[in-house]
Structure formats: C-alpha cells, structure tokens
Amino acid sequence: MSSPQDNILAENFHAAFSAHQDANAVGDLKSLSWLSAHRQSAFDQFQKEGFPTRHHENWKYTDVSRITKTGFITANPTHNAIQTDELDKLKFNTENCHELVFINGQFSAEHSDIGSLDDQVVIGSLRDALKNTPELIEKRFNQFAKKNHSRENHVFAALNTAFFHDGAFIYVPDNVVIEEPIVIYYISSHNEVMLTTAPRNLIIMGKNAQASVIESFHGLKGVVSFTNTITEIETEDGAVLEHYKVQQENTDSFHIGGTHLKLHRNSRVESHSISLGGAIVRNDIVTDLAGEGAEIILNGLYMGNGRQHVDNHTLVNHSKPHTRSDEYYRGVLDGRARGVFNGKVIVHKDAQKTDASQSNANLLLSDHAEIDTKPELEIYADDVKCSHGATVGQLDKNMLFYLRSRGLDADTAKSLLTFAFADEVIRRIKFAPIREQLEFNVGGRLPGSDLIKANLSSARQN
Amino acid sequence: MLSIKNLKVSINDKQILKGLNLEVKAGEVHAIMGPNGSGKSTLANVIVGRDGYKIDSGEIIYEGKDLTGIEPEIRAREGIFLAFQYPVEIPGVNNVYLLKAAMNAKRKHRGEAELDAFEFLDLVKEKMKVVNMNEDLLNRAVNEGFSGGEKKRNEIFQMALLEPKLAILDETDSGLDIDALKIVASGVNGLRREDRAIIIVTHYQRLLDYIIPDYVHVLSDGKIIKSGGKELALELEEKGYDWVREEADAA
C-alpha cells in the first residue's frame, strides 16, 4: 500500500480488525485459538499485500477501487431483519429441501428450515458448528489459504477469513446420500448504510457421500451491499456433489466470491455458476483434482448490461493421473457491460492421462459491450488430452432474418436467440426448480420476455 | 396481388436486378427460371425484405401497397412467405414455439384472437400431414439436426400452417430425392388456391414436372427476358438458356 489514501484505508482496517477481534462478532469464538491464528495470519497477509490493482495479472481487467472505497462497514447481529413475503419471492420453487437463510451475513434460524437430518449429518450455521463440533472443522478450514493466498493474490479471501461472521457448514458423513437439495440464501436487505458481509462456507463430503448444494445470492430492491464470500469444499473418495452458485445481487452491489475445491480419488463435482447481478462481480473457482479419477464439471453463465462488470476466473489443477475437467462457460454482454473470462488449466507432472476440455463462448449484443477472454493451458505431463477454445460473436443475422420472416418482431427475435445462447448453459442444470427459475429470470431480462416464457412453457408441454 | 415495376436492386454497389417487371395475380403459379447468378434469389429476398439489398429504383407493390421500407415481419404478417433455399438451424429455439409465435403474431396483426394451446396443436398436427412430417421433429429446435429433405419439408409445413397469400419457394427442389420431391410438390399443390399466389424460383425444370405453373419467366442478367406458359420450362430444359438470351439480344 503506497498512496496516502491507501494508508488511511489500512488504518481503518486495522482499527476494524481490532474491534472485530474484541467484539461479540468474534468474541464467543475466541476460545478457538486455531481460528484466531487463521484470522490473524489472513489479516497480516492483507496488510502486507493490500488490495489488488490492475497491475496484478489476475486483476488486469477488473478495477476494484470502487469497492475498496466503500468503507467496509461490517454487518452485526442486529442486521438480520427481512419481511417473510420479501424472502418468499426470492426463493426457488422447491418443495422439499434443507433451507438455510442468511440475512446480511447473519444466520436467521427464524427463516431457515433445515428439516430432519440423519445421524451425524450437519447442515447449519458455521458459527454454531464452530461451537458444537469444532473438531470437524479445524483440519479442513482455510486449507486453500496456504496454497493460494499469495499466488492468486486473493486478498479478498484473506479479508473474508479475518472478518467472516458466519456461513453454512455442511458435513455429510461417509456413505450418506442426502436426497433433498440444500439451499442457502444470502440476502442483502439493509438499506441505511452499505454493509459488507463475508459469508464463509465449508462443505465436507465423506467417502461416497452425495449431496446437492445451492448458494443463492440476492439483494433486495434499493439495497447496495458488498458481499465477499468464500466457500471451501472437500470431497472424499467417491463422493458426488452438485454445487450451484446463483448470483442475483442487484446491479448497484459488489460481489466477490471464491470457491475452493479439493477433490479426492474418484470423487466428482458438478459446479454451476450463474452470475446475473452486481455492479462489479468477481468469481473465482479454484479446483485441485487431488486424487486419481477425480472429475470436475464447470458450467457457467454470466450476463451483464448497463455498466455491469463481471469477471470469472477458474483454475483447475490436475494433480493426479486420470483426472478429468470439463469447462463450459458462456457470457452475454449488452449495453456498456464488460466481461472477463480467465480459465486456466494446469496439468501437473504426475497427472498422466488427464482429460481436460474448456470452452468459452461470448455474445456481444452492443457495440459498447466488451469481453476479455483468456484460456490458459499449462501442461507438464506428456500423455494427456487437452483442448480449449474461446469465441466472441454477435447474433447470427441469418437466424434473425429467418425468425422475422416468420412474423416475429426484431426485438423478440433477438431476445429469443440471446435466450437460446444462454440456455445452452442453463439447460445443463439437472435440478429442475433452479433451471426453471433461471430460465424465467434470464428470459425476463430480455425484451419481449412474455413470448420467451411462452417458449419455455410450450417446450415443456411437449 | 404482386406488381413489380422496373425494379433495380444492388448489393454492395453491384446491380443485380436491372429493371425487372413482374405481375402476379391471385390464384396463379409463376415459375422464375434462370441460370446461376441471374438474380433469382435476390428477387425472392427483396420481396420478403431481407437486409443488405438496396432498391435503386422501381417499386414492389403488394396488394396495392409499396413494400419498400416495410419490415420483414410486417410483410410476413401481411401474408408473404418465403420457403428458404437454405433454412437455417436455430439451436435452442423450439420449433413449436416458433410456429406458435409466428401464428399469433399474424393473428394479432389481423385483429384475431390467439389460438389456445389445444386448437393450435390440432392445427399443427393436421398440417404436418401435408408433407408427411415426422411429429418428433416438432419438439426439436428449429431445423437443428434435420436432414436436407426434412428442412425443406419443414418449410412447406410452415407455409401450410401460416397460410400465406403470396408464397415464394426458393430452390425448394434442391437437395431433395425424387420421393421427397413428390411429397413436397404434392404439399404445395394442395396449397394452390384461388386467393393465393405462388412464385417458384428454380434453376431446374424438375420441380415443375410436379407443380405445373401457369406462367414461366426467364430471368437473365437481372431482367425477365422471356415469359410463356408451362411449355417454356420444357423448352428450357431441352435447349438450355442460351437461345433465349440470343433471342433477347437480337430483339
């Protein structure tokens, strides 16, 4: 940190951190010295590195100065109010699920409905779990930090570690299958000051365990917030996880999120990341395929309009032989929106027989929209199958004309083709309530949306 | 129904149609024949209002109104239909949806009520029989993965469903084997009506064995240089285009 302004900011943070360590936000966890050590080390890391600037390769296209000037007022337990009807409007149409609700980062037992759980399964607040079953957490918590903080320059992740208040903890023991999805809502509802929330989630899948976890981020109308979220996921041998991150913050808010995965032998994760909201958005997904036969599917969609800025970084480490990654990301940018995609695949020396494919396709709907896409492949093994590709294009004129020649107006034809492009990602979502709501929400953003919704229902009737 | 007068059209500053005249009345079937590059597809596209064609002079009058500057979707809703030479595949757009949207856009334009889902599907199934189209294709994306013949059948099926007043078939016979050609032709013949005009744009006479035109026109270098009855098509098939051109040059 060099400029005088940065120094003031640093002092503010220092004061905030001291206060945070003392205040009730952390106080009742203070007996966990290992946790305090993580927090201190993360904070030291942050102080040493400061916020990234565009001189950092990983932040080359994303300027976070607007975020760093926001003041970072952290939410406290009094910020947990929401009207039930407002909450209900945001929910997916899921009848049976385990539901966790966080309001401005505070766990709301009142609004959550965890349902009945098998013995030894834990689904709930991380804060509660730190009090009740710290032994389940200690070994797994913040594992990625050692590896990634400095290299990836995830200062925001360090800030999350230093300042997090709560988040979800999911522990699925060996051989347990949780059939009903686990849905976690993170809602920014406070509109008096701009709050910073730092949700911290930990998902542990035992051997051959199976579950689906949905993280859904929302901002209520008129609420400006900064969400700095981290999810750590570890899947033991043979575990299967479907992980969804759906980001629908409102378009004045900031969202920076990191998902850090470690996959052991023959485990499989399907990651779906759908990013629709936010003024400045950055999603990082960092995967370590750490056991033979581990497999990750990375499926992603980002859409921006107006002056939205959405940056997706993914990194897949193939550390062991016979690992597989399959990445499919699509972006739709309109207005003056800007998108960034950086997908890096590293095949390490031991990872023979790796199968890695990556594709990123982008649709630019306006002359002022922009995308910077960069697929990167580093291969240190010699017997591998890898492919990658990126495309940037506009709507197909022949398709547009065909639709118009059948009587559809130009706006509807454009919307329909845009929707079809985005739906290539959404339709890969197996879980119907999420897929259907996303199709409606994505379709609903476009002109002539009623007709697109009719398209969906006619497709479904048949 | 359609009256084209001294039409000059260029693409990228190159004039393709150089003073074309054509009169088509309701109930008639006209064949436009001509060698490659004579302007056949340009004529078809300019009638339906495709971008990229500049009308330098002349006019296209449809039902008493000049089409110049009218959006293609409005032309479609007013009853003009083009069966494409190369129907485009549109992944992710459901066939049924397109049909329903097209149908309702037309009905709304005419102040008619939208069809409900059952009426619509009944109608669709009835019209599919016109070209023996496989019902499985309905639920797929528009033309996606269709064979060449299926795409052409789909065009005629759409035409049957949308009941245009003026239908233009652009090289509909290309890529069809003889069985498919017969099916498509009988579909088109079934759509011949007193209040409907059909323009068949084709390089070869083959399709005209099955869809007998009332008039045949020879298009060459952007102008219609000869018009006649159905026997002209046979003459062209036998003798090629050169004699017509020579005759026109001499005149």
Side-chain angles (χ1 to χ4, degrees), chain A residues 87-94 185 214 216-218 246 248 274 276 419 426 429 431-444 453 456 460:
Chain A
L87 178 61
D88 288 344
K89 273 187 272 177
L90 303 173
K91 287 187 174 178
F92 295 108
N93 186 22
T94 45
Y185 296 98
I214 295 115
S216 187
F217 294 85
H218 298 267
V246 182
Q248 301 184 89
I274 310 290
L276 305 178
F419 178 79
I426 300 172
I429 292 174
F431 186 49
I434 308 273
R435 185 180 63 240
E436 287 168 11
Q437 202 204 67
L438 283 173
E439 285 179 331
F440 266 69
N441 291 358
V442 166
K453 289 175 182 176
L456 295 170
R460 236 168 260 143

Side-chain angles (χ1 to χ4, degrees), chain A residues 396-412 416-417 419-421 423-424 427 448 451-452 454-456 458-459 461-462, chain B residues 45 48-50 71-73 76-77 81-82 84 87-94 96-98 100-102 105 117 121 139 142-143 155 158 162:
Chain A
D396 184 292
K397 285 200 172 107
N398 290 325
M399 293 185 194
L400 272 177
F401 179 67
Y402 189 90
L403 295 174
R404 293 179 73 190
S405 81
R406 297 302 180 247
L408 277 66
D409 64 74
D411 278 350
T412 304
L416 201 55
L417 294 177
F419 178 79
F421 179 87
D423 199 39
E424 288 288 312
R427 68 206 286 186
L451 277 165
I452 291 164
N455 180 24
L456 295 170
S458 66
Q461 276 165 19
N462 288 287
Chain B
N45 281 308
V48 293
R50 191 172 198 135
E71 300 289 350
E73 56 268 34
R77 293 172 200 168
F81 180 91
L82 173 65
F84 284 81
V88 65
E89 297 193 11
I90 312 182
V93 176
N94 180 272
V96 174
Y97 167 73
L98 170 62
K100 199 189 236 169
L121 273 180
N139 303 323
V142 176
N143 290 321
E155 295 294 289
Q158 289 182 13
L162 296 173

Side-chain angles (χ1 to χ4, degrees), chain B residues 87 95 131-134 136-137 140 143-157 175-176 180 184:
Chain B
N95 230 341
V131 286
N132 287 348
M133 208 167 106
N134 186 341
D136 295 346
L137 299 182
R140 301 242 296 265
N143 290 321
E144 193 181 36
F146 287 27
S147 70
E150 283 169 342
K151 284 180 187 169
K152 293 298 176 81
R153 281 194 218 186
N154 194 29
E155 295 294 289
I156 303 305
F157 157 61
L176 292 183
V184 164

